[in-house]
Amino acid sequence: MFNNIPRIAIIGRANVGKSSLFNRMIEEQKSLVSDVPGTTRDRFEADCIWRGQVMRLIDTGGLDANRLNEIEKNIIEQAEIAIKEADAIFFVVDLTAPPSPDDLSIAQKMKSLKKPVIVIGNKADTHTIRAIVHDAQWKAWPLKLPLPVSAKQGVGVGDVLEEATAILEKAGIPPAPIATVSPMRVAVFGEPNVGKSTLLNALLGEKRFITANMPHTTRQPNDVTVEHEGHIYQFIDTAGVRKHASMMRSGTHLEKIGVDKTLDVVKRSDVALFVIDITRGITAQDRHLAGVLAEEGISTIIVANKWDLIPKKTPTSINDQEKIIRGFLPQLKHAPVLFTSALTGQRAKDVYKLVNLVFATRFTQLSDEEAKSFISRAIARHKPSRGKGVKHPRIIKFFQSRINPPTFTLFVNLSRKDSLADSYLRFLENLLRENYDFTGTPIRIRVETGRKSHTTY
Ligand code: GDP
């Protein structure tokens, strides 16, 4: 279950930038590498995450044929082992020079391997270098033409990972969804007696508990880790979990979750199940917690529990109730609402499906090209509007700077005195949500101001 991650060996001559590329591919997702368990922090081997899926990269030494001392022979042997064990190959060449005889002989060898190979043309720092692949010097190249990349600038890396995902899928060894490799950390919040423990019982009932230490998890004594349909869930200690865990052990009582503890739990979570009792109102504490969850970038599902107690339900009851809940919790407008009866089990198991969905949207990722085309379309619909100040804002650059949770950076040509209208940011957020799946997940848009005048949109 934990070992289905496809392996990709990064090979090529010395000094073509294999290690920079390797580092860039794992660095890009730094936010993740540190939080995602299952990551091997080995010097030569690391997991890279693209659009929520994991591939393992293996860095190798240079494959130069002509300088064969003992150490170099050893490096070549190591690289050959890596190639043999790999499911696919990233073959890196230096685009600033014509393909060398070594490149050509490696290319021939790769051709005979019958493994998917992506040729990466590194050091493509400028437009001119990027265009070189169409020159005569690459005419005789026996493989597909190199994909231009600049490991230094991070340009083109997403395209390579996108291509890698496609070829691995085609080869029947797709990248592994993160949640099959490392647990999704799920916290259950809500006022006392809303049904948190009952819900957990319904969810965990016949589950197999994973008690063995999983690598890289920050398991705490009261966390409960389970597997459900190939995905791994770590239910994080909140009052409800603690109650569940202790009921299982010693039958001791509920411990009320304090404010500090709440924040601590929020910070250890990817997904929050925000449980409310549909027969009671939403409290001030609930509204406060909703704000914290949004602020901290936690994906959230609102679980409206005790649905069985609503008398005389009609086909519009769910809609009516949802409207009321949304009215009280505007901070969680992105969160799906699930109406459950933890007691009877009605829709309780749907929690798993929704957790999978809202966890996946933490990794929704727009490539630089997609972000560019998105912002052009957005501007065509609505020109950016002014907040404070007199200057009319122009957008210089827009790209996704992070995932987990998704974060966008927007450069505008304003000085500190001026600002972009908040309503424009809300417009962008809504449009992002219309065009891409961010269900349940907060989106951040950071505005950077500067005086650069080369408008690109
Ligand atoms: P917690 O404090 O949030 O963990 O709440 P509990 O799970 O201990 O539940 C509090 C009370 O509500 C218990 O008496 C449960 O049996 C009851 N309860 C929980 N879920 C439901 C539900 O869906 N429907 C009904 N009718 N009662 C429920």
Side-chain angles (χ1 to χ4, degrees), residues 190-201 239-241 243 254 275 277 305-309 340-345:
E191 295 279 289
N193 291 317
V194 293
K196 296 184 296 296
S197 304
T198 314
L199 180 69
L200 272 161
N201 273 326
V241 177
K243 195 163 136 194
L254 173 80
V275 189
D277 176 342
N305 191 37
K306 307 201 184 178
W307 185 239
D308 56 295
L309 294 183
T340 60
S341 170
L343 199 67
T344 67

Side-chain angles (χ1 to χ4, degrees), residues 117-146:
V117 178
I118 294 179
V119 185
I120 299 173
N122 193 30
K123 308 195 186 175
D125 300 345
T126 64
H127 282 296
T128 324
I129 306 174
R130 251 167 263 155
I132 274 176
V133 285
H134 303 296
D135 285 3
Q137 63 200 37
W138 287 95
K139 279 267 168 359
W141 185 244
L143 297 171
K144 255 179 103 172
L145 286 177

Side-chain angles (χ1 to χ4, degrees), residues 210-214 216-221 223-225 234 268:
I210 302 174
T211 45
N213 248 342
M214 287 189 56
H216 312 280
T217 42
T218 44
R219 253 183 100 249
Q220 304 227 338
D223 292 354
V224 181
T225 307
Q234 181 181 2
R268 291 208 297 127

Side-chain angles (χ1 to χ4, degrees), residues 175-397:
I178 294 179
T180 63
V181 176
S182 73
M184 295 178 261
R185 302 169 303 173
V186 183
V188 189
F189 296 101
E191 295 279 289
N193 291 317
V194 293
K196 296 184 296 296
S197 304
T198 314
L199 180 69
L200 272 161
N201 273 326
L203 289 174
L204 304 180
E206 307 120 41
K207 285 279 153 292
R208 184 165 70 87
F209 287 66
I210 302 174
T211 45
N213 248 342
M214 287 189 56
H216 312 280
T217 42
T218 44
R219 253 183 100 249
Q220 304 227 338
N222 292 305
D223 292 354
V224 181
T225 307
V226 295
E227 188 208 327
H228 177 77
E229 296 180 352
H231 292 80
I232 312 160
Y233 305 81
Q234 181 181 2
F235 289 96
I236 302 217
D237 183 18
T238 66
V241 177
R242 174 160 299 195
K243 195 163 136 194
H244 181 88
S246 55
M247 271 183 335
M248 305 224 329
R249 277 197 291 274
S250 57
T252 45
H253 287 296
L254 173 80
E255 185 173 328
K256 197 162 187 280
I257 185 163
V259 175
D260 288 353
K261 176 90 171 113
T262 306
L263 205 58
D264 170 57
V265 172
V266 167
K267 291 200 160 127
R268 291 208 297 127
S269 321
D270 302 307
V271 177
L273 299 181
F274 189 99
V275 189
I276 54 179
D277 176 342
I278 193 82
T279 66
R280 295 198 327 227
I282 285 164
T283 64
Q285 169 93 350
D286 282 334
R287 289 161 65 94
H288 174 71
L289 179 62
V292 174
L293 293 173
E295 191 104 319
E296 295 289 330
I298 310 302
S299 302
T300 304
I301 298 161
I302 300 169
V303 181
N305 191 37
K306 307 201 184 178
W307 185 239
D308 56 295
L309 294 183
I310 298 288
K312 302 201 212 82
K313 289 189 270 286
T314 68
T316 64
S317 298
I318 281 196
N319 266 343
D320 299 343
Q321 291 288 345
E322 182 171 337
K323 265 195 206 123
I324 296 170
I325 294 168
R326 294 216 177 275
F328 277 106
L329 297 173
Q331 310 94 321
L332 293 178
K333 62 179 189 318
H334 51 269
V337 184
L338 181 68
F339 292 86
T340 60
S341 170
L343 199 67
T344 67
Q346 190 187 13
R347 282 189 287 270
K349 287 276 162 56
D350 291 355
V351 165
Y352 280 117
K353 270 187 241 139
L354 271 182
V355 169
N356 294 350
L357 172 66
V358 306
F359 181 77
T361 62
R362 300 181 67 72
F363 299 89
T364 297
Q365 192 161 13
L366 277 65
S367 68
D368 290 351
E369 280 307 310
E370 280 171 312
K372 221 166 152 174
S373 117
F374 168 83
I375 200 72
S376 302
R377 279 180 281 137
I379 295 168
R381 253 168 86 167
H382 273 299
K383 289 236 176 313
S385 38
R386 200 169 57 211
K388 280 197 316 245
V390 288
K391 205 165 166 198
H392 198 77
R394 271 191 317 186
I395 292 170
I396 299 168
K397 198 172 177 189

